[in-house]
Amino acid sequence: MFIAYTAVAVVLALMNTGTATAKIRGLEPAVSGMKAAGVPQSWFVPLALLNLAGAAGLLIGIGWRPLGIAAATGLLLYFFGALGFHIRTGEFKGAPMALVFAVLSAVAIGLGVAST
């Protein structure tokens, strides 16, 4: 399970780092769904920092599993919030990607728990 957790943690960390960078730089694919869902632009950088914190926690969690599990749990809650924003506004453009991130976060939690 350790190898599977490591693989999922690295992939999820890279995905979160990429989306955080895109949010900070204001790149259109990353921010158009957020704008359409009604997320204020002033939230983009703080949300990106949460993505980066989750990515760092996942990577550190390879060596110290409780932090990895906590980071994956935080990311799962983050992406549930993102899905909630999309559902509340009826804008589903960014919902599939948020769902992918949420599922990978849940998988990381499961693998992290199983490999402790």
Side-chain angles (χ1 to χ4, degrees):
M1 290 294 161
F2 172 75
I3 294 171
Y5 171 78
T6 300
V8 171
V10 168
V11 168
L12 188 56
L14 289 172
M15 290 172 63
N16 273 284
T17 301
T19 193
T21 303
K23 287 174 193 167
I24 291 170
R25 295 178 72 196
L27 299 179
E28 197 52 39
V31 300
S32 62
M34 292 173 64
K35 288 179 182 177
V39 177
Q41 190 164 353
S42 63
W43 289 16
F44 288 6
V45 171
L47 290 172
L49 294 175
L50 289 174
N51 286 119
L52 290 174
L58 286 168
L59 294 176
I60 295 168
I62 293 169
W64 187 41
R65 198 77 64 248
L67 181 60
I69 295 168
T73 302
L75 287 171
L76 180 63
L77 295 172
Y78 174 96
F79 290 111
F80 278 165
L83 286 168
F85 257 84
H86 287 286
I87 291 168
R88 180 181 60 89
T89 60
E91 189 287 314
F92 300 105
K93 179 180 178 184
M97 190 53 74
L99 184 59
V100 167
F101 275 89
V103 168
L104 281 176
S105 298
V107 169
I109 293 167
L111 290 172
V113 169
S115 67
T116 53

